[in-house]
Amino acid sequence: MRRVGKFEKVSYEQFRKDYIDCFNETNEEVIKQIYDDIKLPQRATSSSAGYDIFSPIDFELKPNEEIKIPTGIRARMDEDWVLCIFPRSSWGFKFRLQLNNTVGIIDSDYYYSDNEGHLFLRLTNDNKYNKNFSIKKGVGLTQGIFMPYGITEDDNVTTIRNGGIGSTTK
């Protein structure tokens, strides 16, 4: 199996800034503990395609509620590869837990952005059964799969990314 990338934590400073932005939490001890406890993505078995991305916090979503979560991680990968983020199958099946952008596409150059390539998850509990979705810190929430991609023969793009969602169309 070809090895094409590596998961890393973003800096504490980047995580702190993004966590405060998402949750208005300013208690340094709380933020530092969350950061210190972040688990890097892992595969569950040697045949798993997806790397489980673990929740850095406990949370609960009622039906139709959403949350934006700074994961504290980033992914470095070879050129011509992309990291696709999907909900874990069981959460989608049991709760209709949805990524708001359906599939997260993390390009290899995102790693070098001003925000250190910090991965965020925006999730919605979209179930029709009136079930709350609860998860504990450290439990697999989504999964990331590295995939190769190609470009057209006449492609001549030279633009370099600097930002996250929507940054290539600004």
Side-chain angles (χ1 to χ4, degrees):
M1 189 63 57
R2 181 171 173 199
R3 297 182 186 265
V4 299
K6 182 176 181 180
F7 291 104
E8 304 169 354
K9 282 186 179 183
V10 297
S11 68
Y12 173 71
E13 294 75 23
Q14 184 66 52
F15 179 77
R16 179 185 173 279
K17 175 182 166 286
D18 293 335
Y19 193 85
I20 290 170
D21 184 56
C22 288
F23 298 114
N24 293 319
E25 173 66 62
T26 57
N27 184 320
E28 291 292 330
E29 290 176 18
V30 168
I31 298 170
K32 183 72 166 103
Q33 187 63 58
I34 292 167
Y35 179 79
D36 289 345
D37 292 344
I38 290 171
K39 290 171 55 175
L40 293 178
Q42 299 173 350
R43 294 185 308 148
T45 69
S46 61
S47 293
S48 296
Y51 283 81
D52 289 337
I53 298 173
F54 305 102
S55 180
I57 58 171
D58 296 344
F59 69 92
E60 179 173 274
L61 290 178
K62 295 178 179 128
N64 300 311
E65 284 186 338
E66 70 175 42
I67 189 170
K68 179 182 172 187
I69 300 172
T71 65
I73 62 169
R74 65 193 206 155
R76 178 182 46 77
M77 69 197 90
D78 292 349
E79 277 190 52
D80 302 335
W81 285 80
V82 63
L83 176 64
C84 297
I85 309 294
F86 304 95
R88 287 194 58 205
S89 302
S90 59
W91 299 140
F93 188 82
K94 293 176 186 174
F95 294 93
R96 286 184 48 111
L97 186 69
Q98 309 276 330
L99 278 169
N100 286 17
N101 57 343
T102 312
V103 175
I105 302 296
I106 312 301
D107 299 307
S108 62
D109 59 352
Y110 182 51
Y111 178 85
Y112 304 101
S113 296
D114 284 348
N115 73 348
E116 299 180 23
H118 194 177
L119 303 180
F120 289 83
L121 304 173
R122 187 179 294 269
L123 303 160
T124 297
N125 177 354
D126 190 30
N127 81 70
K128 312 287 189 234
Y129 313 109
N130 206 29
K131 289 185 188 177
N132 290 358
F133 176 78
S134 298
I135 197 156
K136 295 287 185 193
K137 173 173 79 172
V139 172
L141 184 56
T142 59
Q143 58 186 330
I145 300 175
F146 290 98
M147 296 183 194
Y149 69 92
I151 60 174
T152 62
E153 293 171 0
D154 59 347
D155 186 293
N156 60 4
V157 174
T158 59
T159 307
I160 297 173
R161 166 190 310 280
N162 189 19
I165 294 174
S167 64
T168 58
T169 58
K170 289 181 182 176

